[in-house]
Amino acid sequence: QRCAARANSSLTTQTQDVCKGISFNESGCVVWLVGIQGSTASEGNTCLRFEPFIDINGGQDQSCRGAHVFDDSSLHYTSFSRSEVLTLGECRSKCVEISGCRGIEFNQQDCRVLLKVEGIG
């Protein structure tokens, strides 16, 4: 936890947007700027991949809203049609690619990349 907190406090906003994970041991902390594809057994080391997607109210069968339950403003997100984004994984990838992404909403019609904190809740 201390490594993650130290890493977050010392990173610029630009670097935070591309942080892919952290690794640490008794020698120090490393912030990964490229994707972590795997790991190998190494006593005393910890490897954590950054995956920013956390379910809101369980995630499934939930729509993201802003300041109140009726706040579904298109100002809060960028939308991609299902012909552009076929899977939840592809929707997550869109979020990772877009600077400032705060989360996603994926449904039968589209993939919404949420760009404002007010658009999640």
Side-chain angles (χ1 to χ4, degrees):
Q1 290 178 342
R2 285 182 296 189
C3 178
R6 187 169 57 239
N8 284 335
S9 67
S10 66
L11 295 175
T12 66
T13 301
Q14 181 181 9
T15 305
Q16 286 177 347
D17 286 344
V18 295
C19 176
K20 302 299 182 187
I22 59 173
S23 60
F24 59 95
N25 59 31
E26 61 186 36
S27 300
C29 175
V30 175
V31 176
W32 284 72
L33 301 179
V34 296
I36 298 171
Q37 300 302 312
S39 66
T40 187
S42 182
E43 189 172 336
N45 291 288
T46 301
C47 176
L48 302 171
R49 183 180 346 201
F50 176 65
E51 295 192 359
F53 303 101
I54 299 170
D55 294 344
I56 304 290
N57 294 326
Q60 191 76 19
D61 298 325
Q62 298 290 313
S63 292
C64 298
R65 292 294 181 259
H68 50 78
V69 297
F70 301 109
D71 185 3
D72 189 25
S73 173
S74 60
L75 299 175
H76 297 313
Y77 58 86
T78 298
S79 182
F80 298 92
S81 72
R82 286 299 298 273
S83 63
E84 296 173 279
V85 177
L86 300 175
T87 66
L88 178 59
E90 288 177 8
C91 190
R92 287 179 174 171
S93 293
K94 284 288 187 191
C95 179
V96 172
E97 292 168 8
I98 296 174
S99 179
C101 177
R102 302 294 190 157
I104 60 170
E105 179 180 328
F106 184 71
N107 58 47
Q108 293 178 346
Q109 289 77 38
D110 61 3
C111 162
R112 295 178 179 183
V113 175
L114 306 168
L115 302 173
K116 296 186 178 187
V117 173
E118 297 86 3
I120 303 174

